[in-house]
Amino acid sequence: VREIDMTTTMLGCSASLPLYFTATALAKLAHQDGEVGIVRAAKRAGVPYMLPTLSSYTLDEMLAARTPGQELFAQLYVN
């Protein structure tokens, strides 16, 4: 096998691999860029990212970090 194509779609979103970055609460505890950095990394990796409900950044800040056309999932956590 010389070439393997792992691209796929999930819920209509293109992905370079059959996976996505899942929501992780308070990512800024691990790195100063937190969820904003994950949004950017997901774009570079070509995979969707699920924005967390409990995050270090506001929804507006996370959405502002995305590239035009970048698909994101949203987590809805209800107690």
Side-chain angles (χ1 to χ4, degrees), residues 3-4 19 22 41 59 65 77:
E3 243 180 81
I4 298 174
L19 57 86
T22 195
L59 178 60
Y77 198 107

Side-chain angles (χ1 to χ4, degrees), residues 4-68:
I4 298 174
D5 183 4
M6 299 283 287
T7 59
T8 189
T9 59
M10 286 182 276
L11 302 173
C13 298
S14 297
S16 62
L17 297 167
L19 57 86
Y20 72 98
F21 293 168
T22 195
T24 319
L26 302 173
K28 197 171 180 181
L29 293 174
H31 190 277
Q32 66 185 7
D33 292 343
E35 295 83 8
V36 168
I38 299 172
V39 169
R40 294 177 183 138
K43 178 59 178 176
R44 282 193 302 274
V47 297
Y49 173 45
M50 180 183 291
L51 301 174
T53 299
L54 181 59
S55 60
S56 307
Y57 288 93
T58 66
L59 178 60
D60 287 340
E61 289 170 321
M62 291 185 287
L63 292 175
R66 68 183 171 159
T67 302

